[in-house]
């Protein structure tokens, strides 16, 4: 194995969106750094099953108006 090409592997603290933390090893940051997550398995819709639709610029309203006559899914 080549010398001095591998990143340093050290302990960091990961802070979830609800404030809970855990310690893990990573090559990210410096030893003792805290990685604050914006999205994690406790808040991401893929794992929670809770989905929110964000209407940016009225796009959702335009879509619903355009396809209102199809009666597919929730209106």
């Amino acid at each position: 194995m080549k010398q001095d090409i591998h990143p340093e592997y050290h302990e960091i603290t990961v802070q979830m969106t609800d404030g809970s933390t855990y310690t893990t090893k990573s090559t990210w940051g410096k030893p003792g750094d805290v990685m604050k997550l914006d999205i994690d398995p406790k808040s991401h819709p893929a794992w929670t099953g809770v989905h929110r639709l964000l209407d940016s610029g009225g796009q959702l309203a335009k879509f619903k108006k355009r396809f209102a006559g199809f009666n597919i899914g929730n209106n």
Side-chain angles (χ1 to χ4, degrees):
M1 205 164 34
K2 291 184 181 180
Q3 296 296 318
D4 302 324
I5 65 167
H6 301 290
E8 181 186 346
Y9 192 60
H10 51 268
E11 285 191 357
I12 64 166
T13 302
V14 178
Q15 183 177 3
M16 307 289 262
T17 56
D18 66 354
S20 62
T21 61
Y22 66 92
T23 303
T24 188
K25 289 196 171 196
S26 175
T27 58
W28 178 86
K30 297 179 293 250
D33 278 355
V34 177
M35 178 186 286
K36 295 182 181 180
L37 301 179
D38 293 329
I39 298 174
D40 62 31
K42 294 179 179 181
S43 65
H44 194 280
W47 289 281
T48 62
V50 177
H51 299 279
R52 295 183 322 204
L53 295 174
L54 300 176
D55 191 5
S56 59
Q59 294 297 314
L60 184 59
K62 288 179 191 176
F63 179 85
K64 286 184 175 184
K65 181 178 178 183
R66 182 174 180 186
F67 294 103
F70 284 99
N71 280 335
I72 298 174
N74 298 337
N75 287 340

